[in-house]
Amino acid sequence: MADTKVDQMSVNVVKEPSMMTGAIPGKDWMDTTVTFKPGNYCYPAKKSIVEYLDKGLPGLFGMPREWTVESDDWQLPENWVEIILQGMRERLDKFRSFKVFMDICVRCGACADKCHFFLGTGDPKNMPVLRAELLRSVYRGNFTKAGKILGSIAGGREMTFEVLKEWFMYFYQCTECRRCSVFCPYGIDTAEITMMARELLHLVGVGTNWILEPAANSNRTGNHLGLQPHTFKQNAEFLLDDIEEVTGVKLKNLTFNRKGAEVLFVIPSADVFAEPGIFTFMGYLLIFEHIGLDYTISTYSSEGGNFGSFTNNELMKKLNGKMYAEAERLGVKWILGGECGHMWRVVHQYMETMNGPPDNLEIPKSPITGTVFENAAAAKMVHISEFTADLIRHNKLKIDKSRNDHRVVTFHDSCNPSRGMGMLEEPRYIHQHVCNNYYEMPENTIREQTFCCGSGTGLNTGEIMDLRMRGGLPRANAVKYVEEKHGVNMLSCICAIDRATLLALMEYWNPNVGVCGISELVGNALIMDGEKERDQDLRFEELAGVAEAAAAAAEAEAAESGNNEEGE
């Protein structure tokens, strides 16, 4: 964009003059300290939340306390350095990938300009190679012979409070999107480095509330909002009235906690309480009613999103296990998952190692088409987009594409389903069959190279809105391109966090572009048995041609009335 709006925003990162002019820096990066100020950091976790989590997973969340990020006293345990180094030692022994990633980087810089936060902020420590170096330098200084002897000459350094502050700032300016990993010649997964750094921070009680409170809620009530089962059920059922008002059809097959159902449907809980997720949920329900799917939703595992993946591996494992425990309790055959990002990275890449194969479940088989999803043989869980694409391919859905003609759609490849599980073609196949007006963003911004929303992995919190808008600038810029070239007015995606974060991003950078889930578009296009004549979509917005048809009808009526008067 020629006159970028980012210049209107305050700069949150203290920069050396050389960062702005291109001159040689006056200080080594190790000697450049961070400065916290409102807008460039997330609020720390509440004491009560840390206490709760520490009871369930003792030793992983440090010393519960109230502390202030801008203070020079974070009230750390006296032996906090020893705790972190011991934690690093244990993880180097436990996770082979962590040890490999610490050793093999040659700092070639191939990843440097691939991170949306570096592109948005211009801060060198947001280059993935340098962000990882914040952790790698402590590894070298304490766990390699060269680093112990030569120190900074060998790229090593001691663990100090200034280093801890760097970790807190920059590992919470990483969304674990893994775009940098696509371009790494060694295949280093920078997201796993961020995960390890956050685990180490949590060991000394340095965490953010927006991540830990939803994680605690998910553990306690089954969803990140902390909704009680009856509240979750009521919120979901309220949407049935909206569906009936739009379509004239009263849905009958939504059930909760029903034992013996064939399929357990797990969603991101945001889909039952907030726009635009509720419209995605309405799309789910219409699809299932349309095909007569025998399914149920658990109010005790009503959150597919795994906030443990932003925290530590043990909490990730525990929250993932809740879905499978409910599947066993209800006696379902397999699990169908909704449009959620981090749920799918956990299921696809970590599930079998963490929780083991769910032998009580069957390899998913569509009861409608007979398709056996062999790719889900290990996890026993199918993504709603591949399930829907299979229905379309077998002509099991009655679709009127024109019902989405008021939308000019582009698709955001959500990071975790795209790079994390290879969900690339199914969403596009669905779009082609439910939309007449669909356009792709530039090639280097989609599929495996998709840009992140800029607010994932627990960063979609209000206190860093300024930083989020910077981090999301590359994504917004690609949307701006197709908006100006093709008139795009709707950004589709398959992730609940994206639906929340992209909404704010579009409102700031591209206010004429809305955000939706793919299943909402499917729901709009479905021709339901017994439906009334449709003139609105699931958002109660007028369909294309309705106003013109009404005007034409009124004109014809007026003409006929005039003719009658003349005849008289």
Side-chain angles (χ1 to χ4, degrees):
M1 294 178 293
D3 45 349
T4 172
K5 301 177 187 177
V6 81
D7 293 333
Q8 302 170 14
M9 306 166 71
S10 61
V11 178
N12 283 321
V13 181
V14 176
K15 299 179 180 178
E16 292 282 305
S18 59
M19 291 166 59
M20 308 303 292
T21 64
I24 298 174
K27 292 181 180 179
D28 186 90
W29 71 267
M30 290 188 185
D31 301 322
T32 304
T33 58
V34 301
T35 300
F36 290 107
K37 59 180 181 178
N40 73 350
Y41 66 86
C42 300
Y43 296 150
K46 299 173 185 175
K47 180 181 178 181
S48 59
I49 298 299
V50 178
E51 286 175 338
Y52 169 78
L53 289 170
D54 192 49
K55 289 178 182 177
L57 295 169
L60 295 179
F61 294 95
M63 183 174 67
R65 65 196 184 282
E66 302 292 348
W67 57 285
T68 305
V69 174
E70 294 182 46
S71 168
D72 284 332
D73 180 12
W74 286 7
Q75 302 180 41
L76 298 165
E78 289 185 10
N79 63 335
W80 70 268
V81 173
E82 180 184 336
I83 292 172
I84 283 184
L85 293 181
Q86 178 59 29
M88 187 178 288
R89 183 176 294 107
E90 291 173 358
R91 283 156 182 78
L92 288 168
D93 290 339
K94 183 177 182 180
F95 300 105
R96 181 175 179 272
S97 60
F98 183 33
K99 176 70 165 62
V100 170
F101 296 157
M102 289 294 97
D103 285 330
I104 66 173
C105 178
V106 295
R107 288 175 281 186
C108 68
C111 65
D113 61 345
K114 307 306 186 294
C115 175
H116 49 280
F117 273 117
F118 173 64
L119 294 173
T121 66
D123 188 338
K125 289 184 181 177
N126 270 326
M127 293 188 295
V129 60
L130 189 46
R131 187 189 292 116
E133 201 69 16
L134 304 180
L135 182 62
R136 192 176 283 119
S137 58
V138 175
Y139 161 75
R140 288 200 194 98
N142 293 272
F143 297 95
T144 69
K145 186 173 293 185
K148 289 178 180 179
I149 297 173
L150 300 175
S152 61
I153 297 175
R157 60 177 177 168
E158 295 300 315
M159 187 68 213
T160 65
F161 182 56
E162 290 302 324
V163 171
L164 190 75
K165 290 200 293 184
E166 275 186 334
W167 286 11
F168 183 73
M169 173 171 278
Y170 292 104
F171 286 113
Y172 284 98
Q173 288 185 46
C174 170
T175 53
E176 301 178 16
C177 82
R178 303 167 75 238
R179 187 173 193 266
C180 53
S181 301
V182 172
F183 297 90
C184 176
Y186 290 90
I188 295 172
D189 189 340
T190 308
E192 291 203 358
I193 295 175
T194 293
M195 292 165 73
M196 290 298 104
R198 290 189 182 186
E199 284 204 13
L200 296 174
L201 287 168
H202 283 113
L203 292 178
V204 293
V206 177
T208 67
N209 199 68
W210 206 97
I211 293 176
L212 290 186
E213 187 163 347
N217 288 339
S218 295
N219 186 66
R220 184 174 58 253
T221 67
N223 59 78
H224 84 279
L225 291 169
L227 298 177
Q228 296 291 329
H230 65 281
T231 305
F232 179 87
K233 179 175 181 289
Q234 288 170 353
N235 281 14
E237 290 176 337
F238 283 149
L239 298 177
L240 296 178
D241 295 333
D242 288 346
I243 290 174
E244 185 175 6
E245 186 173 346
V246 169
T247 68
V249 177
K250 188 175 183 64
L251 305 192
K252 300 175 182 178
N253 70 342
L254 173 62
T255 64
F256 299 90
N257 307 316
R258 177 167 60 89
K259 292 187 176 182
E262 183 168 0
V263 175
L264 172 64
F265 184 48
V266 179
I267 61 169
S269 61
D271 284 357
V272 300
F273 84 94
E275 295 185 11
I278 57 173
F279 308 121
T280 302
F281 185 74
M282 293 161 71
Y284 299 149
L285 300 186
L286 283 166
I287 294 169
F288 300 157
E289 186 82 19
H290 189 79
I291 62 176
L293 185 68
D294 179 19
Y295 76 103
T296 194
I297 296 176
S298 167
T299 57
Y300 301 101
S301 183
S302 52
E303 176 64 76
N306 195 318
F307 285 80
S309 63
F310 313 151
T311 308
N312 61 52
N313 281 275
E314 292 303 317
L315 186 54
M316 185 200 316
K317 174 181 177 179
K318 189 174 185 183
L319 295 182
N320 183 73
K322 289 175 71 70
M323 299 189 300
Y324 289 92
E326 273 300 275
E328 183 174 7
R329 183 182 74 86
L330 296 174
V332 300
K333 292 182 179 179
W334 53 279
I335 304 175
L336 181 63
E339 296 180 17
C340 178
H342 40 101
M343 168 174 76
W344 281 106
R345 189 182 180 206
V346 173
V347 168
H348 191 262
Q349 297 195 334
Y350 300 115
M351 153 64 197
E352 193 169 9
T353 302
M354 292 189 308
N355 298 95
D359 294 331
N360 57 297
L361 300 179
E362 301 176 5
I363 297 177
K365 178 180 179 180
S366 172
I368 312 303
T369 68
T371 297
V372 177
F373 296 94
E374 296 289 353
N375 61 302
K380 309 297 193 298
M381 189 167 176
V382 173
H383 193 288
I384 183 65
S385 289
E386 60 182 327
F387 183 74
T388 303
D390 179 66
L391 292 172
I392 294 173
R393 186 170 69 87
H394 286 88
N395 298 314
K396 298 299 182 181
L397 300 182
K398 299 176 184 176
I399 291 172
D400 180 358
K401 295 169 67 173
S402 68
R403 291 179 179 177
N404 283 312
D405 280 355
H406 59 312
R407 307 294 187 202
V408 184
V409 183
T410 191
F411 177 59
H412 164 69
D413 290 274
S414 301
C415 298
N416 284 312
S418 61
R419 280 189 287 266
M421 65 179 296
M423 182 69 63
L424 302 173
E425 299 307 325
E426 292 88 346
R428 290 171 168 80
Y429 184 81
I430 294 171
H431 279 113
Q432 291 164 8
H433 287 82
V434 301
C435 299
N436 283 314
N437 307 307
Y438 174 76
Y439 299 94
E440 292 278 10
M441 285 180 275
E443 288 185 11
N444 63 338
T445 70
I446 60 174
R447 298 180 183 271
E448 293 89 345
Q449 298 184 41
T450 182
F451 273 114
C452 181
C453 67
S455 308
T457 192
L459 301 187
N460 54 327
T461 179
E463 63 264 27
I464 58 167
M465 186 63 75
D466 188 53
L467 183 62
R468 286 172 51 188
M469 296 302 101
R470 290 175 175 275
L473 175 59
R475 175 76 296 163
N477 201 26
V479 175
K480 174 64 72 177
Y481 175 82
V482 289
E483 180 192 6
E484 292 180 347
K485 185 173 183 178
H486 302 293
V488 163
N489 59 24
M490 183 60 71
L491 177 59
S492 173
C493 62
I494 50 174
C495 173
I497 283 186
D498 282 337
R499 283 194 290 278
T501 61
L502 290 171
L503 192 63
L505 192 70
M506 291 302 106
E507 286 176 351
Y508 185 82
W509 292 112
N510 305 311
N512 296 320
V513 180
V515 178
C516 72
I518 291 182
S519 295
E520 176 187 341
L521 298 174
V522 178
N524 283 341
L526 281 178
I527 302 172
M528 303 294 292
D529 291 340
E531 68 175 17
K532 67 178 186 180
E533 184 175 351
R534 292 282 298 275
D535 56 7
Q536 293 178 319
D537 65 10
L538 295 177
R539 302 187 181 204
F540 294 97
E541 294 179 3
E542 199 171 81
L543 299 181
V546 170
E548 292 82 352
E555 186 177 342
E557 184 177 349
E560 184 177 350
S561 175
N563 291 334
N564 291 337
E565 290 178 2
E566 288 179 10
E568 292 174 359

